[in-house]
Short mmCIF file of all heavy atoms in Angstrom, two decimals:
data_model
loop_
_atom_site.label_atom_id
_atom_site.label_comp_id
_atom_site.label_asym_id
_atom_site.label_seq_id
_atom_site.Cartn_x
_atom_site.Cartn_y
_atom_site.Cartn_z
N PRO A 8 114.91 68.50 99.67
CA PRO A 8 115.60 69.48 100.60
C PRO A 8 115.91 70.69 99.88
O PRO A 8 116.12 70.75 98.70
CB PRO A 8 116.84 68.66 100.99
CG PRO A 8 116.53 67.24 100.76
CD PRO A 8 115.58 67.25 99.61
N PRO A 19 119.51 76.60 80.38
CA PRO A 19 118.23 76.69 79.71
C PRO A 19 117.32 75.42 79.93
O PRO A 19 116.21 75.43 79.48
CB PRO A 19 118.59 76.75 78.24
CG PRO A 19 119.86 76.04 78.17
CD PRO A 19 120.61 76.21 79.45
N GLN A 20 117.80 74.47 80.65
CA GLN A 20 116.97 73.24 80.87
C GLN A 20 116.56 73.11 82.31
O GLN A 20 117.37 73.29 83.20
CB GLN A 20 117.74 72.02 80.43
CG GLN A 20 118.04 71.90 78.94
CD GLN A 20 118.72 70.64 78.59
OE1 GLN A 20 119.14 69.87 79.49
NE2 GLN A 20 118.90 70.40 77.29
N PHE A 23 113.68 66.95 84.91
CA PHE A 23 112.49 66.24 84.59
C PHE A 23 111.34 66.56 85.51
O PHE A 23 110.25 66.78 85.13
CB PHE A 23 112.82 64.79 84.53
CG PHE A 23 111.54 63.89 84.35
CD1 PHE A 23 111.01 63.81 83.10
CD2 PHE A 23 110.99 63.31 85.44
CE1 PHE A 23 109.82 63.00 82.93
CE2 PHE A 23 109.80 62.55 85.32
CZ PHE A 23 109.26 62.39 84.01
N MET A 31 101.63 69.25 84.60
CA MET A 31 100.45 68.83 85.33
C MET A 31 99.79 69.94 86.10
O MET A 31 98.85 69.73 86.85
CB MET A 31 100.96 67.78 86.40
CG MET A 31 101.52 66.48 85.77
SD MET A 31 100.26 65.60 84.77
CE MET A 31 99.07 65.09 85.98
N VAL A 36 105.79 74.60 92.14
CA VAL A 36 105.43 74.04 93.38
C VAL A 36 106.65 73.82 94.30
O VAL A 36 106.69 74.07 95.49
CB VAL A 36 104.61 72.70 93.22
CG1 VAL A 36 105.49 71.67 92.54
CG2 VAL A 36 104.15 72.24 94.57
N LEU A 45 112.74 78.53 103.65
CA LEU A 45 113.53 79.72 103.98
C LEU A 45 112.89 80.61 105.04
O LEU A 45 113.49 81.18 105.93
CB LEU A 45 113.80 80.43 102.71
CG LEU A 45 114.84 79.90 101.72
CD1 LEU A 45 114.92 80.83 100.54
CD2 LEU A 45 116.19 79.81 102.39
N LEU A 46 111.50 80.77 104.84
CA LEU A 46 110.78 81.68 105.75
C LEU A 46 110.64 81.16 107.16
O LEU A 46 110.19 81.90 108.10
CB LEU A 46 109.41 82.03 105.13
CG LEU A 46 109.47 82.91 103.93
CD1 LEU A 46 108.13 82.99 103.29
CD2 LEU A 46 110.04 84.26 104.20
N PRO A 50 117.30 83.61 112.70
CA PRO A 50 116.82 84.73 111.88
C PRO A 50 116.81 84.33 110.39
O PRO A 50 117.42 83.38 110.01
CB PRO A 50 118.04 85.75 112.11
CG PRO A 50 119.21 84.92 112.46
CD PRO A 50 118.69 83.73 113.22
N TYR A 69 103.21 85.82 99.59
CA TYR A 69 104.39 86.18 100.35
C TYR A 69 105.11 87.44 99.93
O TYR A 69 106.03 87.91 100.58
CB TYR A 69 105.41 84.99 100.34
CG TYR A 69 104.92 83.73 100.90
CD1 TYR A 69 104.91 82.55 100.11
CD2 TYR A 69 104.49 83.61 102.24
CE1 TYR A 69 104.49 81.30 100.63
CE2 TYR A 69 104.07 82.39 102.75
CZ TYR A 69 104.03 81.26 101.98
OH TYR A 69 103.60 80.07 102.52
N GLY A 79 114.32 96.11 104.58
CA GLY A 79 114.77 96.48 105.92
C GLY A 79 113.65 97.06 106.72
O GLY A 79 113.90 97.59 107.81
N PRO A 82 112.96 93.28 110.50
CA PRO A 82 114.27 92.72 110.72
C PRO A 82 114.37 91.26 110.36
O PRO A 82 113.29 90.57 110.24
CB PRO A 82 114.49 92.99 112.24
CG PRO A 82 113.11 92.88 112.80
CD PRO A 82 112.17 93.49 111.72
N ASP A 86 110.84 86.74 115.36
CA ASP A 86 110.10 87.00 116.62
C ASP A 86 109.99 88.47 116.96
O ASP A 86 109.28 88.83 117.90
CB ASP A 86 110.77 86.20 117.79
CG ASP A 86 112.23 86.34 117.78
OD1 ASP A 86 112.78 87.15 117.06
OD2 ASP A 86 112.90 85.54 118.57
N HIS A 88 109.04 90.75 114.55
CA HIS A 88 108.25 91.32 113.54
C HIS A 88 107.02 92.08 114.04
O HIS A 88 106.78 93.18 113.57
CB HIS A 88 107.85 90.28 112.47
CG HIS A 88 108.94 89.89 111.57
ND1 HIS A 88 108.73 88.92 110.51
CD2 HIS A 88 110.23 90.30 111.52
CE1 HIS A 88 109.92 88.81 109.90
NE2 HIS A 88 110.81 89.61 110.47
N TYR A 94 105.92 99.54 115.90
CA TYR A 94 106.68 100.80 115.89
C TYR A 94 106.50 101.52 114.57
O TYR A 94 106.38 102.81 114.54
CB TYR A 94 108.16 100.47 116.11
CG TYR A 94 108.55 100.07 117.51
CD1 TYR A 94 109.69 99.31 117.75
CD2 TYR A 94 107.81 100.44 118.61
CE1 TYR A 94 110.02 98.91 119.03
CE2 TYR A 94 108.15 100.08 119.92
CZ TYR A 94 109.26 99.33 120.10
OH TYR A 94 109.62 98.95 121.37
N GLU A 104 100.11 112.93 112.05
CA GLU A 104 99.54 113.89 112.99
C GLU A 104 100.34 115.20 112.94
O GLU A 104 99.75 116.32 113.07
CB GLU A 104 99.48 113.32 114.38
CG GLU A 104 98.49 112.17 114.54
CD GLU A 104 97.03 112.61 114.14
OE1 GLU A 104 96.65 113.74 114.58
OE2 GLU A 104 96.42 111.85 113.40
N LEU A 106 102.07 116.44 110.45
CA LEU A 106 101.79 117.18 109.22
C LEU A 106 100.41 117.84 109.24
O LEU A 106 100.23 118.90 108.71
CB LEU A 106 101.91 116.23 108.05
CG LEU A 106 103.37 115.83 107.66
CD1 LEU A 106 103.35 114.63 106.74
CD2 LEU A 106 104.17 116.91 107.06
N LEU A 128 109.57 115.10 105.34
CA LEU A 128 109.70 115.41 106.79
C LEU A 128 110.79 114.47 107.36
O LEU A 128 111.67 115.00 108.14
CB LEU A 128 108.33 115.13 107.52
CG LEU A 128 108.36 115.26 109.00
CD1 LEU A 128 108.68 116.75 109.41
CD2 LEU A 128 107.01 114.93 109.61
N CYS A 166 102.04 100.62 102.83
CA CYS A 166 102.29 101.30 101.55
C CYS A 166 103.30 102.37 101.73
O CYS A 166 104.33 102.46 100.95
CB CYS A 166 101.02 101.88 101.02
SG CYS A 166 101.06 102.47 99.37
N ARG A 171 108.72 104.41 100.84
CA ARG A 171 109.89 105.10 101.39
C ARG A 171 111.21 104.35 101.29
O ARG A 171 112.23 104.85 100.87
CB ARG A 171 109.53 105.46 102.82
CG ARG A 171 110.61 106.27 103.59
CD ARG A 171 111.36 105.34 104.47
NE ARG A 171 112.00 106.01 105.54
CZ ARG A 171 113.16 105.59 106.09
NH1 ARG A 171 113.72 104.40 105.73
NH2 ARG A 171 113.73 106.20 107.08
N ARG A 223 114.24 105.83 86.00
CA ARG A 223 114.12 106.60 87.22
C ARG A 223 112.84 106.15 88.02
O ARG A 223 112.84 106.22 89.28
CB ARG A 223 114.05 108.04 86.95
CG ARG A 223 115.39 108.72 86.43
CD ARG A 223 116.50 108.57 87.39
NE ARG A 223 116.19 109.01 88.72
CZ ARG A 223 117.02 108.87 89.79
NH1 ARG A 223 118.10 108.20 89.62
NH2 ARG A 223 116.63 109.34 90.96
N ILE A 263 108.33 96.11 64.65
CA ILE A 263 107.74 96.45 63.36
C ILE A 263 107.12 97.88 63.40
O ILE A 263 107.29 98.61 62.48
CB ILE A 263 106.63 95.37 63.03
CG1 ILE A 263 107.36 94.00 62.78
CG2 ILE A 263 105.85 95.81 61.77
CD1 ILE A 263 106.30 92.87 62.54
N ASN A 285 99.91 93.10 76.50
CA ASN A 285 100.98 92.13 76.19
C ASN A 285 102.15 92.23 77.14
O ASN A 285 103.22 91.64 76.93
CB ASN A 285 101.52 92.47 74.77
CG ASN A 285 102.38 91.37 74.16
OD1 ASN A 285 102.08 90.18 74.43
ND2 ASN A 285 103.41 91.75 73.46
N THR A 286 101.97 92.99 78.25
CA THR A 286 103.15 93.23 79.10
C THR A 286 103.69 92.05 79.92
O THR A 286 104.82 91.96 80.17
CB THR A 286 102.82 94.44 80.01
OG1 THR A 286 101.64 94.04 80.79
CG2 THR A 286 102.54 95.72 79.25
N ILE A 289 106.05 90.32 77.72
CA ILE A 289 107.29 91.10 77.62
C ILE A 289 108.21 90.93 78.85
O ILE A 289 109.40 90.75 78.69
CB ILE A 289 106.90 92.60 77.44
CG1 ILE A 289 106.33 92.81 76.02
CG2 ILE A 289 108.11 93.54 77.63
CD1 ILE A 289 105.71 94.23 75.79
N THR A 291 108.26 88.45 80.94
CA THR A 291 108.75 87.06 80.92
C THR A 291 110.00 86.97 80.04
O THR A 291 111.02 86.39 80.41
CB THR A 291 107.70 86.09 80.52
OG1 THR A 291 106.64 86.07 81.48
CG2 THR A 291 108.23 84.65 80.45
N ASP A 295 114.11 86.29 80.98
CA ASP A 295 114.88 85.28 80.23
C ASP A 295 116.11 85.97 79.63
O ASP A 295 117.21 85.46 79.63
CB ASP A 295 114.06 84.58 79.17
CG ASP A 295 113.02 83.68 79.76
OD1 ASP A 295 113.13 83.34 80.94
OD2 ASP A 295 112.04 83.37 78.99
#
Side-chain angles (χ1 to χ4, degrees):
Q20 293 184 352
F23 172 79
M31 296 301 293
V36 66
L45 284 177
L46 290 173
Y69 296 123
D86 45 10
H88 284 181
Y94 287 156
E104 291 304 314
L106 289 168
L128 179 62
C166 192
R171 182 257 200 208
R223 291 300 308 172
I263 294 175
N285 194 37
T286 55
I289 287 173
T291 296
D295 290 342

